Amino acid sequence: IEPVFLKFKIERYDLGNYRIQISENAMEIEKPTIEFEFEYIPENVVSDFKEALECYSITAYNAFAAMTRRTIQSAADQIGAKGKSKVQNQIKEMKEMAEIDDETYEILSQIIIDGHDGAHPHLPSLSAERAEILLELLKDVMYQLFVRKGKLKKASELRKKQIDLNK
């Protein structure tokens, strides 16, 4: 379960007596900003990814779905997947090139390719539950494509430096 924050409008406060009067009518739910390791993700992909996360945080789920699709396409372009049938072939190439596991690929296909969630007005709006699944999927794909490989490369470079120092 994802944490949410409640914001209340304060009508009056008396700091001397430690009293705060909260408005009964003005409350809103605010989701926290989603944290992620962006350092290994290329700049053009980070831009789309951060915008997708922002849409999710403000519960703009249809916009989140559209930005998720854009993020996936940016990532596919970044790794060189140039499928002829747009997203479908890009996702297939991405699976092979980045070694995305079968389970993640199947979910990605269902949501991004088959579902078109939130992208077309004649289709149902993206629900909060489906948005949460899409969020976890997007984070997993970004991790598999960029973060895991970036960390492995960094570890390898550190190991090589250490070996060179010990020669």
Side-chain angles (χ1 to χ4, degrees), residues 33-43 45-54 71 139 142 146-147 151:
T33 303
I34 296 158
E35 300 295 322
F36 197 82
E37 296 178 85
F38 296 108
E39 74 177 276
Y40 301 104
I41 302 174
E43 202 171 307
V45 179
V46 166
S47 174
D48 290 338
F49 186 27
K50 283 184 175 181
E51 190 169 337
L53 296 177
E54 176 127 349
T71 302
K139 291 187 324 187
M142 291 296 104
F146 302 110
V147 178
K151 285 183 172 186

mmCIF file with all atom_site columns, all heavy atoms in Angstrom, residues 33-43 45-54 71 139 142 146-147 151:
data_model
loop_
_atom_site.group_PDB
_atom_site.id
_atom_site.type_symbol
_atom_site.label_atom_id
_atom_site.label_alt_id
_atom_site.label_comp_id
_atom_site.label_asym_id
_atom_site.label_entity_id
_atom_site.label_seq_id
_atom_site.pdbx_PDB_ins_code
_atom_site.Cartn_x
_atom_site.Cartn_y
_atom_site.Cartn_z
_atom_site.occupancy
_atom_site.B_iso_or_equiv
_atom_site.pdbx_formal_charge
_atom_site.auth_seq_id
_atom_site.auth_comp_id
_atom_site.auth_asym_id
_atom_site.auth_atom_id
_atom_site.pdbx_PDB_model_num
ATOM 1   N N   . THR A 1 33  ? 6.107  12.283 -3.606  1.00 0.00 ? 33  THR A N   1
ATOM 2   C CA  . THR A 1 33  ? 6.884  12.146 -4.826  1.00 0.00 ? 33  THR A CA  1
ATOM 3   C C   . THR A 1 33  ? 7.524  10.762 -4.852  1.00 0.00 ? 33  THR A C   1
ATOM 4   O O   . THR A 1 33  ? 7.990  10.268 -3.830  1.00 0.00 ? 33  THR A O   1
ATOM 5   C CB  . THR A 1 33  ? 7.991  13.226 -4.868  1.00 0.00 ? 33  THR A CB  1
ATOM 6   O OG1 . THR A 1 33  ? 7.363  14.500 -4.754  1.00 0.00 ? 33  THR A OG1 1
ATOM 7   C CG2 . THR A 1 33  ? 8.779  13.166 -6.158  1.00 0.00 ? 33  THR A CG2 1
ATOM 8   N N   . ILE A 1 34  ? 7.534  10.156 -6.000  1.00 0.00 ? 34  ILE A N   1
ATOM 9   C CA  . ILE A 1 34  ? 8.087  8.813  -6.139  1.00 0.00 ? 34  ILE A CA  1
ATOM 10  C C   . ILE A 1 34  ? 9.594  8.915  -6.343  1.00 0.00 ? 34  ILE A C   1
ATOM 11  O O   . ILE A 1 34  ? 10.065 9.647  -7.207  1.00 0.00 ? 34  ILE A O   1
ATOM 12  C CB  . ILE A 1 34  ? 7.409  8.085  -7.315  1.00 0.00 ? 34  ILE A CB  1
ATOM 13  C CG1 . ILE A 1 34  ? 5.934  7.918  -6.992  1.00 0.00 ? 34  ILE A CG1 1
ATOM 14  C CG2 . ILE A 1 34  ? 8.065  6.737  -7.577  1.00 0.00 ? 34  ILE A CG2 1
ATOM 15  C CD1 . ILE A 1 34  ? 5.057  7.718  -8.175  1.00 0.00 ? 34  ILE A CD1 1
ATOM 16  N N   . GLU A 1 35  ? 10.324 8.176  -5.533  1.00 0.00 ? 35  GLU A N   1
ATOM 17  C CA  . GLU A 1 35  ? 11.784 8.171  -5.594  1.00 0.00 ? 35  GLU A CA  1
ATOM 18  C C   . GLU A 1 35  ? 12.255 7.095  -6.574  1.00 0.00 ? 35  GLU A C   1
ATOM 19  O O   . GLU A 1 35  ? 11.647 6.034  -6.681  1.00 0.00 ? 35  GLU A O   1
ATOM 20  C CB  . GLU A 1 35  ? 12.367 7.891  -4.214  1.00 0.00 ? 35  GLU A CB  1
ATOM 21  C CG  . GLU A 1 35  ? 11.979 8.916  -3.152  1.00 0.00 ? 35  GLU A CG  1
ATOM 22  C CD  . GLU A 1 35  ? 12.531 10.293 -3.413  1.00 0.00 ? 35  GLU A CD  1
ATOM 23  O OE1 . GLU A 1 35  ? 13.679 10.384 -3.889  1.00 0.00 ? 35  GLU A OE1 1
ATOM 24  O OE2 . GLU A 1 35  ? 11.820 11.273 -3.148  1.00 0.00 ? 35  GLU A OE2 1
ATOM 25  N N   . PHE A 1 36  ? 13.343 7.375  -7.272  1.00 0.00 ? 36  PHE A N   1
ATOM 26  C CA  . PHE A 1 36  ? 13.934 6.406  -8.187  1.00 0.00 ? 36  PHE A CA  1
ATOM 27  C C   . PHE A 1 36  ? 15.388 6.790  -8.423  1.00 0.00 ? 36  PHE A C   1
ATOM 28  O O   . PHE A 1 36  ? 15.763 7.947  -8.260  1.00 0.00 ? 36  PHE A O   1
ATOM 29  C CB  . PHE A 1 36  ? 13.165 6.382  -9.524  1.00 0.00 ? 36  PHE A CB  1
ATOM 30  C CG  . PHE A 1 36  ? 13.446 5.163  -10.348 1.00 0.00 ? 36  PHE A CG  1
ATOM 31  C CD1 . PHE A 1 36  ? 12.784 3.975  -10.095 1.00 0.00 ? 36  PHE A CD1 1
ATOM 32  C CD2 . PHE A 1 36  ? 14.387 5.197  -11.364 1.00 0.00 ? 36  PHE A CD2 1
ATOM 33  C CE1 . PHE A 1 36  ? 13.044 2.836  -10.843 1.00 0.00 ? 36  PHE A CE1 1
ATOM 34  C CE2 . PHE A 1 36  ? 14.658 4.069  -12.114 1.00 0.00 ? 36  PHE A CE2 1
ATOM 35  C CZ  . PHE A 1 36  ? 13.986 2.888  -11.850 1.00 0.00 ? 36  PHE A CZ  1
ATOM 36  N N   . GLU A 1 37  ? 16.199 5.806  -8.826  1.00 0.00 ? 37  GLU A N   1
ATOM 37  C CA  . GLU A 1 37  ? 17.619 6.058  -9.127  1.00 0.00 ? 37  GLU A CA  1
ATOM 38  C C   . GLU A 1 37  ? 17.737 6.520  -10.584 1.00 0.00 ? 37  GLU A C   1
ATOM 39  O O   . GLU A 1 37  ? 17.826 5.710  -11.486 1.00 0.00 ? 37  GLU A O   1
ATOM 40  C CB  . GLU A 1 37  ? 18.428 4.777  -8.933  1.00 0.00 ? 37  GLU A CB  1
ATOM 41  C CG  . GLU A 1 37  ? 18.458 4.276  -7.516  1.00 0.00 ? 37  GLU A CG  1
ATOM 42  C CD  . GLU A 1 37  ? 19.233 2.984  -7.411  1.00 0.00 ? 37  GLU A CD  1
ATOM 43  O OE1 . GLU A 1 37  ? 20.471 3.063  -7.285  1.00 0.00 ? 37  GLU A OE1 1
ATOM 44  O OE2 . GLU A 1 37  ? 18.605 1.926  -7.476  1.00 0.00 ? 37  GLU A OE2 1
ATOM 45  N N   . PHE A 1 38  ? 17.742 7.821  -10.788 1.00 0.00 ? 38  PHE A N   1
ATOM 46  C CA  . PHE A 1 38  ? 17.751 8.372  -12.137 1.00 0.00 ? 38  PHE A CA  1
ATOM 47  C C   . PHE A 1 38  ? 19.149 8.467  -12.743 1.00 0.00 ? 38  PHE A C   1
ATOM 48  O O   . PHE A 1 38  ? 19.275 8.691  -13.939 1.00 0.00 ? 38  PHE A O   1
ATOM 49  C CB  . PHE A 1 38  ? 17.122 9.777  -12.137 1.00 0.00 ? 38  PHE A CB  1
ATOM 50  C CG  . PHE A 1 38  ? 15.670 9.784  -11.755 1.00 0.00 ? 38  PHE A CG  1
ATOM 51  C CD1 . PHE A 1 38  ? 15.260 10.277 -10.530 1.00 0.00 ? 38  PHE A CD1 1
ATOM 52  C CD2 . PHE A 1 38  ? 14.709 9.291  -12.611 1.00 0.00 ? 38  PHE A CD2 1
ATOM 53  C CE1 . PHE A 1 38  ? 13.932 10.288 -10.169 1.00 0.00 ? 38  PHE A CE1 1
ATOM 54  C CE2 . PHE A 1 38  ? 13.367 9.297  -12.270 1.00 0.00 ? 38  PHE A CE2 1
ATOM 55  C CZ  . PHE A 1 38  ? 12.979 9.802  -11.044 1.00 0.00 ? 38  PHE A CZ  1
ATOM 56  N N   . GLU A 1 39  ? 20.207 8.325  -11.943 1.00 0.00 ? 39  GLU A N   1
ATOM 57  C CA  . GLU A 1 39  ? 21.561 8.620  -12.417 1.00 0.00 ? 39  GLU A CA  1
ATOM 58  C C   . GLU A 1 39  ? 22.008 7.766  -13.598 1.00 0.00 ? 39  GLU A C   1
ATOM 59  O O   . GLU A 1 39  ? 22.856 8.177  -14.363 1.00 0.00 ? 39  GLU A O   1
ATOM 60  C CB  . GLU A 1 39  ? 22.573 8.537  -11.279 1.00 0.00 ? 39  GLU A CB  1
ATOM 61  C CG  . GLU A 1 39  ? 22.897 7.129  -10.828 1.00 0.00 ? 39  GLU A CG  1
ATOM 62  C CD  . GLU A 1 39  ? 23.961 7.099  -9.747  1.00 0.00 ? 39  GLU A CD  1
ATOM 63  O OE1 . GLU A 1 39  ? 25.156 7.133  -10.105 1.00 0.00 ? 39  GLU A OE1 1
ATOM 64  O OE2 . GLU A 1 39  ? 23.592 7.060  -8.565  1.00 0.00 ? 39  GLU A OE2 1
ATOM 65  N N   . TYR A 1 40  ? 21.441 6.593  -13.773 1.00 0.00 ? 40  TYR A N   1
ATOM 66  C CA  . TYR A 1 40  ? 21.874 5.696  -14.852 1.00 0.00 ? 40  TYR A CA  1
ATOM 67  C C   . TYR A 1 40  ? 20.982 5.801  -16.100 1.00 0.00 ? 40  TYR A C   1
ATOM 68  O O   . TYR A 1 40  ? 21.240 5.138  -17.088 1.00 0.00 ? 40  TYR A O   1
ATOM 69  C CB  . TYR A 1 40  ? 21.881 4.245  -14.359 1.00 0.00 ? 40  TYR A CB  1
ATOM 70  C CG  . TYR A 1 40  ? 22.787 4.035  -13.179 1.00 0.00 ? 40  TYR A CG  1
ATOM 71  C CD1 . TYR A 1 40  ? 22.272 3.904  -11.893 1.00 0.00 ? 40  TYR A CD1 1
ATOM 72  C CD2 . TYR A 1 40  ? 24.173 3.984  -13.341 1.00 0.00 ? 40  TYR A CD2 1
ATOM 73  C CE1 . TYR A 1 40  ? 23.101 3.717  -10.803 1.00 0.00 ? 40  TYR A CE1 1
ATOM 74  C CE2 . TYR A 1 40  ? 25.012 3.794  -12.254 1.00 0.00 ? 40  TYR A CE2 1
ATOM 75  C CZ  . TYR A 1 40  ? 24.465 3.662  -10.988 1.00 0.00 ? 40  TYR A CZ  1
ATOM 76  O OH  . TYR A 1 40  ? 25.301 3.480  -9.918  1.00 0.00 ? 40  TYR A OH  1
ATOM 77  N N   . ILE A 1 41  ? 19.950 6.604  -16.021 1.00 0.00 ? 41  ILE A N   1
ATOM 78  C CA  . ILE A 1 41  ? 18.987 6.710  -17.121 1.00 0.00 ? 41  ILE A CA  1
ATOM 79  C C   . ILE A 1 41  ? 19.359 7.902  -17.996 1.00 0.00 ? 41  ILE A C   1
ATOM 80  O O   . ILE A 1 41  ? 19.614 8.997  -17.476 1.00 0.00 ? 41  ILE A O   1
ATOM 81  C CB  . ILE A 1 41  ? 17.556 6.856  -16.573 1.00 0.00 ? 41  ILE A CB  1
ATOM 82  C CG1 . ILE A 1 41  ? 17.205 5.660  -15.680 1.00 0.00 ? 41  ILE A CG1 1
ATOM 83  C CG2 . ILE A 1 41  ? 16.547 6.965  -17.705 1.00 0.00 ? 41  ILE A CG2 1
ATOM 84  C CD1 . ILE A 1 41  ? 15.864 5.771  -14.982 1.00 0.00 ? 41  ILE A CD1 1
ATOM 85  N N   . PRO A 1 42  ? 19.379 7.718  -19.324 1.00 0.00 ? 42  PRO A N   1
ATOM 86  C CA  . PRO A 1 42  ? 19.705 8.833  -20.223 1.00 0.00 ? 42  PRO A CA  1
ATOM 87  C C   . PRO A 1 42  ? 18.741 10.020 -20.037 1.00 0.00 ? 42  PRO A C   1
ATOM 88  O O   . PRO A 1 42  ? 17.563 9.833  -19.721 1.00 0.00 ? 42  PRO A O   1
ATOM 89  C CB  . PRO A 1 42  ? 19.545 8.228  -21.613 1.00 0.00 ? 42  PRO A CB  1
ATOM 90  C CG  . PRO A 1 42  ? 19.697 6.759  -21.410 1.00 0.00 ? 42  PRO A CG  1
ATOM 91  C CD  . PRO A 1 42  ? 19.149 6.471  -20.044 1.00 0.00 ? 42  PRO A CD  1
ATOM 92  N N   . GLU A 1 43  ? 19.276 11.212 -20.240 1.00 0.00 ? 43  GLU A N   1
ATOM 93  C CA  . GLU A 1 43  ? 18.555 12.450 -19.961 1.00 0.00 ? 43  GLU A CA  1
ATOM 94  C C   . GLU A 1 43  ? 17.189 12.553 -20.646 1.00 0.00 ? 43  GLU A C   1
ATOM 95  O O   . GLU A 1 43  ? 16.211 12.963 -20.029 1.00 0.00 ? 43  GLU A O   1
ATOM 96  C CB  . GLU A 1 43  ? 19.436 13.646 -20.359 1.00 0.00 ? 43  GLU A CB  1
ATOM 97  C CG  . GLU A 1 43  ? 19.062 14.917 -19.657 1.00 0.00 ? 43  GLU A CG  1
ATOM 98  C CD  . GLU A 1 43  ? 20.091 16.008 -19.899 1.00 0.00 ? 43  GLU A CD  1
ATOM 99  O OE1 . GLU A 1 43  ? 21.285 15.759 -19.657 1.00 0.00 ? 43  GLU A OE1 1
ATOM 100 O OE2 . GLU A 1 43  ? 19.669 17.084 -20.322 1.00 0.00 ? 43  GLU A OE2 1
ATOM 101 N N   . VAL A 1 45  ? 15.213 10.194 -21.600 1.00 0.00 ? 45  VAL A N   1
ATOM 102 C CA  . VAL A 1 45  ? 14.295 9.223  -21.002 1.00 0.00 ? 45  VAL A CA  1
ATOM 103 C C   . VAL A 1 45  ? 13.900 9.694  -19.601 1.00 0.00 ? 45  VAL A C   1
ATOM 104 O O   . VAL A 1 45  ? 12.726 9.595  -19.218 1.00 0.00 ? 45  VAL A O   1
ATOM 105 C CB  . VAL A 1 45  ? 14.916 7.812  -20.956 1.00 0.00 ? 45  VAL A CB  1
ATOM 106 C CG1 . VAL A 1 45  ? 13.970 6.815  -20.311 1.00 0.00 ? 45  VAL A CG1 1
ATOM 107 C CG2 . VAL A 1 45  ? 15.302 7.349  -22.367 1.00 0.00 ? 45  VAL A CG2 1
ATOM 108 N N   . VAL A 1 46  ? 14.845 10.234 -18.848 1.00 0.00 ? 46  VAL A N   1
ATOM 109 C CA  . VAL A 1 46  ? 14.560 10.742 -17.499 1.00 0.00 ? 46  VAL A CA  1
ATOM 110 C C   . VAL A 1 46  ? 13.480 11.805 -17.551 1.00 0.00 ? 46  VAL A C   1
ATOM 111 O O   . VAL A 1 46  ? 12.572 11.831 -16.719 1.00 0.00 ? 46  VAL A O   1
ATOM 112 C CB  . VAL A 1 46  ? 15.836 11.304 -16.817 1.00 0.00 ? 46  VAL A CB  1
ATOM 113 C CG1 . VAL A 1 46  ? 15.488 12.128 -15.588 1.00 0.00 ? 46  VAL A CG1 1
ATOM 114 C CG2 . VAL A 1 46  ? 16.766 10.179 -16.417 1.00 0.00 ? 46  VAL A CG2 1
ATOM 115 N N   . SER A 1 47  ? 13.561 12.688 -18.515 1.00 0.00 ? 47  SER A N   1
ATOM 116 C CA  . SER A 1 47  ? 12.585 13.764 -18.638 1.00 0.00 ? 47  SER A CA  1
ATOM 117 C C   . SER A 1 47  ? 11.165 13.203 -18.764 1.00 0.00 ? 47  SER A C   1
ATOM 118 O O   . SER A 1 47  ? 10.250 13.626 -18.049 1.00 0.00 ? 47  SER A O   1
ATOM 119 C CB  . SER A 1 47  ? 12.936 14.627 -19.853 1.00 0.00 ? 47  SER A CB  1
ATOM 120 O OG  . SER A 1 47  ? 11.948 15.592 -20.073 1.00 0.00 ? 47  SER A OG  1
ATOM 121 N N   . ASP A 1 48  ? 10.976 12.242 -19.663 1.00 0.00 ? 48  ASP A N   1
ATOM 122 C CA  . ASP A 1 48  ? 9.655  11.630 -19.837 1.00 0.00 ? 48  ASP A CA  1
ATOM 123 C C   . ASP A 1 48  ? 9.252  10.830 -18.610 1.00 0.00 ? 48  ASP A C   1
ATOM 124 O O   . ASP A 1 48  ? 8.100  10.862 -18.170 1.00 0.00 ? 48  ASP A O   1
ATOM 125 C CB  . ASP A 1 48  ? 9.641  10.722 -21.072 1.00 0.00 ? 48  ASP A CB  1
ATOM 126 C CG  . ASP A 1 48  ? 9.732  11.501 -22.371 1.00 0.00 ? 48  ASP A CG  1
ATOM 127 O OD1 . ASP A 1 48  ? 9.386  12.703 -22.378 1.00 0.00 ? 48  ASP A OD1 1
ATOM 128 O OD2 . ASP A 1 48  ? 10.145 10.906 -23.379 1.00 0.00 ? 48  ASP A OD2 1
ATOM 129 N N   . PHE A 1 49  ? 10.200 10.096 -18.035 1.00 0.00 ? 49  PHE A N   1
ATOM 130 C CA  . PHE A 1 49  ? 9.939  9.267  -16.866 1.00 0.00 ? 49  PHE A CA  1
ATOM 131 C C   . PHE A 1 49  ? 9.499  10.127 -15.681 1.00 0.00 ? 49  PHE A C   1
ATOM 132 O O   . PHE A 1 49  ? 8.510  9.829  -15.003 1.00 0.00 ? 49  PHE A O   1
ATOM 133 C CB  . PHE A 1 49  ? 11.195 8.455  -16.540 1.00 0.00 ? 49  PHE A CB  1
ATOM 134 C CG  . PHE A 1 49  ? 11.053 7.433  -15.452 1.00 0.00 ? 49  PHE A CG  1
ATOM 135 C CD1 . PHE A 1 49  ? 9.849  6.831  -15.148 1.00 0.00 ? 49  PHE A CD1 1
ATOM 136 C CD2 . PHE A 1 49  ? 12.175 7.050  -14.731 1.00 0.00 ? 49  PHE A CD2 1
ATOM 137 C CE1 . PHE A 1 49  ? 9.746  5.872  -14.145 1.00 0.00 ? 49  PHE A CE1 1
ATOM 138 C CE2 . PHE A 1 49  ? 12.089 6.095  -13.726 1.00 0.00 ? 49  PHE A CE2 1
ATOM 139 C CZ  . PHE A 1 49  ? 10.871 5.508  -13.431 1.00 0.00 ? 49  PHE A CZ  1
ATOM 140 N N   . LYS A 1 50  ? 10.216 11.234 -15.430 1.00 0.00 ? 50  LYS A N   1
ATOM 141 C CA  . LYS A 1 50  ? 9.852  12.116 -14.317 1.00 0.00 ? 50  LYS A CA  1
ATOM 142 C C   . LYS A 1 50  ? 8.467  12.723 -14.529 1.00 0.00 ? 50  LYS A C   1
ATOM 143 O O   . LYS A 1 50  ? 7.687  12.855 -13.578 1.00 0.00 ? 50  LYS A O   1
ATOM 144 C CB  . LYS A 1 50  ? 10.899 13.223 -14.140 1.00 0.00 ? 50  LYS A CB  1
ATOM 145 C CG  . LYS A 1 50  ? 12.157 12.744 -13.449 1.00 0.00 ? 50  LYS A CG  1
ATOM 146 C CD  . LYS A 1 50  ? 13.123 13.889 -13.213 1.00 0.00 ? 50  LYS A CD  1
ATOM 147 C CE  . LYS A 1 50  ? 14.326 13.424 -12.403 1.00 0.00 ? 50  LYS A CE  1
ATOM 148 N NZ  . LYS A 1 50  ? 15.270 14.518 -12.151 1.00 0.00 ? 50  LYS A NZ  1
ATOM 149 N N   . GLU A 1 51  ? 8.155  13.078 -15.760 1.00 0.00 ? 51  GLU A N   1
ATOM 150 C CA  . GLU A 1 51  ? 6.822  13.627 -16.036 1.00 0.00 ? 51  GLU A CA  1
ATOM 151 C C   . GLU A 1 51  ? 5.740  12.574 -15.800 1.00 0.00 ? 51  GLU A C   1
ATOM 152 O O   . GLU A 1 51  ? 4.676  12.872 -15.260 1.00 0.00 ? 51  GLU A O   1
ATOM 153 C CB  . GLU A 1 51  ? 6.743  14.165 -17.461 1.00 0.00 ? 51  GLU A CB  1
ATOM 154 C CG  . GLU A 1 51  ? 5.485  14.948 -17.733 1.00 0.00 ? 51  GLU A CG  1
ATOM 155 C CD  . GLU A 1 51  ? 5.499  15.703 -19.046 1.00 0.00 ? 51  GLU A CD  1
ATOM 156 O OE1 . GLU A 1 51  ? 6.588  16.000 -19.574 1.00 0.00 ? 51  GLU A OE1 1
ATOM 157 O OE2 . GLU A 1 51  ? 4.399  15.990 -19.548 1.00 0.00 ? 51  GLU A OE2 1
ATOM 158 N N   . ALA A 1 52  ? 6.014  11.340 -16.177 1.00 0.00 ? 52  ALA A N   1
ATOM 159 C CA  . ALA A 1 52  ? 5.068  10.249 -15.916 1.00 0.00 ? 52  ALA A CA  1
ATOM 160 C C   . ALA A 1 52  ? 4.854  10.093 -14.409 1.00 0.00 ? 52  ALA A C   1
ATOM 161 O O   . ALA A 1 52  ? 3.716  9.977  -13.937 1.00 0.00 ? 52  ALA A O   1
ATOM 162 C CB  . ALA A 1 52  ? 5.581  8.942  -16.523 1.00 0.00 ? 52  ALA A CB  1
ATOM 163 N N   . LEU A 1 53  ? 5.949  10.106 -13.634 1.00 0.00 ? 53  LEU A N   1
ATOM 164 C CA  . LEU A 1 53  ? 5.845  9.959  -12.187 1.00 0.00 ? 53  LEU A CA  1
ATOM 165 C C   . LEU A 1 53  ? 5.081  11.125 -11.556 1.00 0.00 ? 53  LEU A C   1
ATOM 166 O O   . LEU A 1 53  ? 4.306  10.931 -10.617 1.00 0.00 ? 53  LEU A O   1
ATOM 167 C CB  . LEU A 1 53  ? 7.237  9.840  -11.561 1.00 0.00 ? 53  LEU A CB  1
ATOM 168 C CG  . LEU A 1 53  ? 8.044  8.602  -11.957 1.00 0.00 ? 53  LEU A CG  1
ATOM 169 C CD1 . LEU A 1 53  ? 9.428  8.646  -11.321 1.00 0.00 ? 53  LEU A CD1 1
ATOM 170 C CD2 . LEU A 1 53  ? 7.317  7.323  -11.595 1.00 0.00 ? 53  LEU A CD2 1
ATOM 171 N N   . GLU A 1 54  ? 5.291  12.306 -12.090 1.00 0.00 ? 54  GLU A N   1
ATOM 172 C CA  . GLU A 1 54  ? 4.554  13.472 -11.586 1.00 0.00 ? 54  GLU A CA  1
ATOM 173 C C   . GLU A 1 54  ? 3.060  13.320 -11.851 1.00 0.00 ? 54  GLU A C   1
ATOM 174 O O   . GLU A 1 54  ? 2.234  13.617 -10.982 1.00 0.00 ? 54  GLU A O   1
ATOM 175 C CB  . GLU A 1 54  ? 5.073  14.751 -12.245 1.00 0.00 ? 54  GLU A CB  1
ATOM 176 C CG  . GLU A 1 54  ? 4.276  15.942 -11.809 1.00 0.00 ? 54  GLU A CG  1
ATOM 177 C CD  . GLU A 1 54  ? 5.138  17.059 -11.260 1.00 0.00 ? 54  GLU A CD  1
ATOM 178 O OE1 . GLU A 1 54  ? 6.330  16.843 -11.017 1.00 0.00 ? 54  GLU A OE1 1
ATOM 179 O OE2 . GLU A 1 54  ? 4.591  18.130 -11.077 1.00 0.00 ? 54  GLU A OE2 1
ATOM 180 N N   . THR A 1 71  ? 7.502  7.284  -22.320 1.00 0.00 ? 71  THR A N   1
ATOM 181 C CA  . THR A 1 71  ? 8.751  6.899  -21.657 1.00 0.00 ? 71  THR A CA  1
ATOM 182 C C   . THR A 1 71  ? 9.291  5.608  -22.243 1.00 0.00 ? 71  THR A C   1
ATOM 183 O O   . THR A 1 71  ? 10.493 5.490  -22.527 1.00 0.00 ? 71  THR A O   1
ATOM 184 C CB  . THR A 1 71  ? 8.531  6.748  -20.134 1.00 0.00 ? 71  THR A CB  1
ATOM 185 O OG1 . THR A 1 71  ? 8.045  7.988  -19.611 1.00 0.00 ? 71  THR A OG1 1
ATOM 186 C CG2 . THR A 1 71  ? 9.816  6.353  -19.427 1.00 0.00 ? 71  THR A CG2 1
ATOM 187 N N   . LYS A 1 139 ? 8.693  1.265  -13.404 1.00 0.00 ? 139 LYS A N   1
ATOM 188 C CA  . LYS A 1 139 ? 9.913  1.315  -12.591 1.00 0.00 ? 139 LYS A CA  1
ATOM 189 C C   . LYS A 1 139 ? 10.781 0.080  -12.845 1.00 0.00 ? 139 LYS A C   1
ATOM 190 O O   . LYS A 1 139 ? 12.005 0.191  -12.962 1.00 0.00 ? 139 LYS A O   1
ATOM 191 C CB  . LYS A 1 139 ? 9.557  1.436  -11.105 1.00 0.00 ? 139 LYS A CB  1
ATOM 192 C CG  . LYS A 1 139 ? 8.954  2.783  -10.755 1.00 0.00 ? 139 LYS A CG  1
ATOM 193 C CD  . LYS A 1 139 ? 8.716  3.047  -9.286  1.00 0.00 ? 139 LYS A CD  1
ATOM 194 C CE  . LYS A 1 139 ? 8.301  1.928  -8.439  1.00 0.00 ? 139 LYS A CE  1
ATOM 195 N NZ  . LYS A 1 139 ? 7.934  2.300  -7.056  1.00 0.00 ? 139 LYS A NZ  1
ATOM 196 N N   . MET A 1 142 ? 12.499 0.412  -16.302 1.00 0.00 ? 142 MET A N   1
ATOM 197 C CA  . MET A 1 142 ? 13.593 1.378  -16.246 1.00 0.00 ? 142 MET A CA  1
ATOM 198 C C   . MET A 1 142 ? 14.783 0.785  -15.485 1.00 0.00 ? 142 MET A C   1
ATOM 199 O O   . MET A 1 142 ? 15.936 0.999  -15.862 1.00 0.00 ? 142 MET A O   1
ATOM 200 C CB  . MET A 1 142 ? 13.142 2.691  -15.582 1.00 0.00 ? 142 MET A CB  1
ATOM 201 C CG  . MET A 1 142 ? 12.153 3.500  -16.386 1.00 0.00 ? 142 MET A CG  1
ATOM 202 S SD  . MET A 1 142 ? 12.814 4.116  -17.967 1.00 0.00 ? 142 MET A SD  1
ATOM 203 C CE  . MET A 1 142 ? 12.019 2.999  -19.092 1.00 0.00 ? 142 MET A CE  1
ATOM 204 N N   . PHE A 1 146 ? 18.210 0.246  -17.638 1.00 0.00 ? 146 PHE A N   1
ATOM 205 C CA  . PHE A 1 146 ? 19.282 1.202  -17.400 1.00 0.00 ? 146 PHE A CA  1
ATOM 206 C C   . PHE A 1 146 ? 19.989 1.059  -16.052 1.00 0.00 ? 146 PHE A C   1
ATOM 207 O O   . PHE A 1 146 ? 21.217 1.064  -16.002 1.00 0.00 ? 146 PHE A O   1
ATOM 208 C CB  . PHE A 1 146 ? 18.748 2.635  -17.535 1.00 0.00 ? 146 PHE A CB  1
ATOM 209 C CG  . PHE A 1 146 ? 18.130 2.916  -18.875 1.00 0.00 ? 146 PHE A CG  1
ATOM 210 C CD1 . PHE A 1 146 ? 16.761 3.103  -19.007 1.00 0.00 ? 146 PHE A CD1 1
ATOM 211 C CD2 . PHE A 1 146 ? 18.916 2.972  -20.015 1.00 0.00 ? 146 PHE A CD2 1
ATOM 212 C CE1 . PHE A 1 146 ? 16.185 3.355  -20.240 1.00 0.00 ? 146 PHE A CE1 1
ATOM 213 C CE2 . PHE A 1 146 ? 18.352 3.222  -21.264 1.00 0.00 ? 146 PHE A CE2 1
ATOM 214 C CZ  . PHE A 1 146 ? 16.979 3.414  -21.371 1.00 0.00 ? 146 PHE A CZ  1
ATOM 215 N N   . VAL A 1 147 ? 19.248 0.980  -14.976 1.00 0.00 ? 147 VAL A N   1
ATOM 216 C CA  . VAL A 1 147 ? 19.859 1.027  -13.643 1.00 0.00 ? 147 VAL A CA  1
ATOM 217 C C   . VAL A 1 147 ? 20.714 -0.203 -13.376 1.00 0.00 ? 147 VAL A C   1
ATOM 218 O O   . VAL A 1 147 ? 21.880 -0.080 -12.980 1.00 0.00 ? 147 VAL A O   1
ATOM 219 C CB  . VAL A 1 147 ? 18.786 1.209  -12.542 1.00 0.00 ? 147 VAL A CB  1
ATOM 220 C CG1 . VAL A 1 147 ? 19.427 1.197  -11.159 1.00 0.00 ? 147 VAL A CG1 1
ATOM 221 C CG2 . VAL A 1 147 ? 18.018 2.509  -12.765 1.00 0.00 ? 147 VAL A CG2 1
ATOM 222 N N   . LYS A 1 151 ? 24.698 -0.019 -12.830 1.00 0.00 ? 151 LYS A N   1
ATOM 223 C CA  . LYS A 1 151 ? 25.352 -0.431 -11.582 1.00 0.00 ? 151 LYS A CA  1
ATOM 224 C C   . LYS A 1 151 ? 26.397 -1.519 -11.835 1.00 0.00 ? 151 LYS A C   1
ATOM 225 O O   . LYS A 1 151 ? 27.467 -1.499 -11.244 1.00 0.00 ? 151 LYS A O   1
ATOM 226 C CB  . LYS A 1 151 ? 24.309 -0.936 -10.578 1.00 0.00 ? 151 LYS A CB  1
ATOM 227 C CG  . LYS A 1 151 ? 23.513 0.180  -9.952  1.00 0.00 ? 151 LYS A CG  1
ATOM 228 C CD  . LYS A 1 151 ? 22.550 -0.384 -8.923  1.00 0.00 ? 151 LYS A CD  1
ATOM 229 C CE  . LYS A 1 151 ? 21.903 0.746  -8.151  1.00 0.00 ? 151 LYS A CE  1
ATOM 230 N NZ  . LYS A 1 151 ? 21.071 0.235  -7.058  1.00 0.00 ? 151 LYS A NZ  1
#
